[in-house]
Amino acid sequence: MALILSLGSSEESIWSNMSESPGKRIQLAQDKGAKGIIYFDSENFPRFKSRFDYMKNNSSGRMNLKDLEDESFSSIFIDQTLAKAIMPNIETNNSPGEIDTKVTLAFESSNEEVDSENVVAFIQGTDKPNEYIIISSHLDHIGISSEGEINNGADDDGSGTVALLEIAEAFEKAKEDGNGPRRSVVFLHVTGEEKGLLGSQYYTDVEPIFPLDQTVANLNIDMVGRIDPKRDGDRNYIYLIGSDKLSSELHELSEEINSKYTQLELDYTYNDENDPNRFYYRSDHYNFAKNNIPIIFYFNGTHDDYHRPSDTPDKINYDLLENRTRLIFYTAWELANRANPVIVDKAAD
Ligand SMILES: [Zn+2]
């Protein structure tokens, strides 16, 4: 363990974001063949430590997919005393290098296996059955709070759940009436979203039930029943994220469908790459986008009840939930029935 990645610059970069940078550094070192990581960050160590202490004390540890876990690799976050014992000038030396120090570590970690399931339903396409449209939402939420209160998750993601069910019912009815979709439609109700998009990652990285290279698009529904209190303007809106990232055609189609059938205000505030919330990376569609599958993420924004017991069904705006669900249905219908699948014409980042 002698690879040192150092911080040589104070410029804003992909390495500057506190919540993503350690993961990216660790991944890079792992890709370059590191056997493990000893990580020192004097500024953020107290934050890492309090997070680990919290996880240790209420047995709500980190979750990973067992199938993708590399058990031979450890990342160890160390404090200043230990860092200086290993490399006395660590805080002033910014150049990469090797240090010839032998470190012996004794540490414990405990793991528990937890089972969970995605729920998948499928309507086979009539004349293009091997092309797939995936409509997704997540069935999990964050559970019971440390004070014993139930986090209801009516908006996150009860709203997406009922939208998914209504859309599935509409497609099924069309099929029964002899008007089934030309392409196959997959209703993917994923688990473990709140633990790091695990259900969708399992689907894309471990066991895609339907081939990813024949998957035309993913429409992901996560929080569509509320109004963002920070937003001005028409209440009949929805934030769209990602529609133009991989396919201009998908974006145009989505706009056209909305002006034709639903006339919602499509708000692209959070579609901005520079938006600090980075919602594009934070729900299940991202696992499809990283596989070059065009996606649209439908989202109402956060609110005071986000991830709290007070996210209850009485606060859902049912008229808006209905309008937004109709928009997603019409978009899915167009994707499933148009002559050609939407084309990927933009590079993934
Ligand atoms: Zn959610």
mmCIF file with all atom_site columns, all heavy atoms in Angstrom, residues 138 156 193-194 222, ligand 1:
data_model
loop_
_atom_site.group_PDB
_atom_site.id
_atom_site.type_symbol
_atom_site.label_atom_id
_atom_site.label_alt_id
_atom_site.label_comp_id
_atom_site.label_asym_id
_atom_site.label_entity_id
_atom_site.label_seq_id
_atom_site.pdbx_PDB_ins_code
_atom_site.Cartn_x
_atom_site.Cartn_y
_atom_site.Cartn_z
_atom_site.occupancy
_atom_site.B_iso_or_equiv
_atom_site.pdbx_formal_charge
_atom_site.auth_seq_id
_atom_site.auth_comp_id
_atom_site.auth_asym_id
_atom_site.auth_atom_id
_atom_site.pdbx_PDB_model_num
ATOM   1  N  N   . HIS A 1 138 ? -39.199 3.573  -7.449 1.00 0.00 ? 138 HIS A N   1
ATOM   2  C  CA  . HIS A 1 138 ? -38.632 2.709  -6.405 1.00 0.00 ? 138 HIS A CA  1
ATOM   3  C  C   . HIS A 1 138 ? -39.641 2.392  -5.319 1.00 0.00 ? 138 HIS A C   1
ATOM   4  O  O   . HIS A 1 138 ? -40.452 3.216  -4.938 1.00 0.00 ? 138 HIS A O   1
ATOM   5  C  CB  . HIS A 1 138 ? -37.304 3.244  -5.867 1.00 0.00 ? 138 HIS A CB  1
ATOM   6  C  CG  . HIS A 1 138 ? -37.331 4.508  -5.065 1.00 0.00 ? 138 HIS A CG  1
ATOM   7  N  ND1 . HIS A 1 138 ? -37.503 4.518  -3.706 1.00 0.00 ? 138 HIS A ND1 1
ATOM   8  C  CD2 . HIS A 1 138 ? -37.154 5.801  -5.422 1.00 0.00 ? 138 HIS A CD2 1
ATOM   9  C  CE1 . HIS A 1 138 ? -37.438 5.771  -3.262 1.00 0.00 ? 138 HIS A CE1 1
ATOM   10 N  NE2 . HIS A 1 138 ? -37.233 6.568  -4.279 1.00 0.00 ? 138 HIS A NE2 1
ATOM   11 N  N   . ASP A 1 156 ? -41.975 10.141 -1.860 1.00 0.00 ? 156 ASP A N   1
ATOM   12 C  CA  . ASP A 1 156 ? -40.692 9.485  -2.179 1.00 0.00 ? 156 ASP A CA  1
ATOM   13 C  C   . ASP A 1 156 ? -40.714 8.018  -1.762 1.00 0.00 ? 156 ASP A C   1
ATOM   14 O  O   . ASP A 1 156 ? -40.283 7.717  -0.659 1.00 0.00 ? 156 ASP A O   1
ATOM   15 C  CB  . ASP A 1 156 ? -39.567 10.241 -1.471 1.00 0.00 ? 156 ASP A CB  1
ATOM   16 C  CG  . ASP A 1 156 ? -38.201 9.702  -1.807 1.00 0.00 ? 156 ASP A CG  1
ATOM   17 O  OD1 . ASP A 1 156 ? -38.084 8.893  -2.740 1.00 0.00 ? 156 ASP A OD1 1
ATOM   18 O  OD2 . ASP A 1 156 ? -37.248 10.100 -1.123 1.00 0.00 ? 156 ASP A OD2 1
ATOM   19 N  N   . GLU A 1 193 ? -33.258 1.868  -3.510 1.00 0.00 ? 193 GLU A N   1
ATOM   20 C  CA  . GLU A 1 193 ? -32.861 3.150  -4.113 1.00 0.00 ? 193 GLU A CA  1
ATOM   21 C  C   . GLU A 1 193 ? -32.195 4.015  -3.066 1.00 0.00 ? 193 GLU A C   1
ATOM   22 O  O   . GLU A 1 193 ? -31.145 4.610  -3.285 1.00 0.00 ? 193 GLU A O   1
ATOM   23 C  CB  . GLU A 1 193 ? -34.091 3.860  -4.701 1.00 0.00 ? 193 GLU A CB  1
ATOM   24 C  CG  . GLU A 1 193 ? -33.757 5.046  -5.597 1.00 0.00 ? 193 GLU A CG  1
ATOM   25 C  CD  . GLU A 1 193 ? -33.619 6.387  -4.874 1.00 0.00 ? 193 GLU A CD  1
ATOM   26 O  OE1 . GLU A 1 193 ? -33.939 6.482  -3.679 1.00 0.00 ? 193 GLU A OE1 1
ATOM   27 O  OE2 . GLU A 1 193 ? -33.156 7.338  -5.492 1.00 0.00 ? 193 GLU A OE2 1
ATOM   28 N  N   . GLU A 1 194 ? -32.823 4.064  -1.893 1.00 0.00 ? 194 GLU A N   1
ATOM   29 C  CA  . GLU A 1 194 ? -32.339 4.953  -0.828 1.00 0.00 ? 194 GLU A CA  1
ATOM   30 C  C   . GLU A 1 194 ? -31.009 4.487  -0.235 1.00 0.00 ? 194 GLU A C   1
ATOM   31 O  O   . GLU A 1 194 ? -30.368 5.216  0.500  1.00 0.00 ? 194 GLU A O   1
ATOM   32 C  CB  . GLU A 1 194 ? -33.394 5.072  0.278  1.00 0.00 ? 194 GLU A CB  1
ATOM   33 C  CG  . GLU A 1 194 ? -34.781 5.522  -0.193 1.00 0.00 ? 194 GLU A CG  1
ATOM   34 C  CD  . GLU A 1 194 ? -34.869 7.003  -0.548 1.00 0.00 ? 194 GLU A CD  1
ATOM   35 O  OE1 . GLU A 1 194 ? -33.827 7.682  -0.535 1.00 0.00 ? 194 GLU A OE1 1
ATOM   36 O  OE2 . GLU A 1 194 ? -35.980 7.464  -0.862 1.00 0.00 ? 194 GLU A OE2 1
ATOM   37 N  N   . ASP A 1 222 ? -39.626 9.454  -9.764 1.00 0.00 ? 222 ASP A N   1
ATOM   38 C  CA  . ASP A 1 222 ? -39.233 9.470  -8.358 1.00 0.00 ? 222 ASP A CA  1
ATOM   39 C  C   . ASP A 1 222 ? -39.610 10.827 -7.765 1.00 0.00 ? 222 ASP A C   1
ATOM   40 O  O   . ASP A 1 222 ? -38.901 11.805 -7.961 1.00 0.00 ? 222 ASP A O   1
ATOM   41 C  CB  . ASP A 1 222 ? -37.715 9.211  -8.259 1.00 0.00 ? 222 ASP A CB  1
ATOM   42 C  CG  . ASP A 1 222 ? -37.256 8.991  -6.826 1.00 0.00 ? 222 ASP A CG  1
ATOM   43 O  OD1 . ASP A 1 222 ? -38.092 9.058  -5.911 1.00 0.00 ? 222 ASP A OD1 1
ATOM   44 O  OD2 . ASP A 1 222 ? -36.045 8.756  -6.636 1.00 0.00 ? 222 ASP A OD2 1
HETATM 45 ZN ZN  . ZN  B 2 .   ? -36.753 8.592  -4.137 1.00 0.00 ? 1   ZN  B ZN  1
#
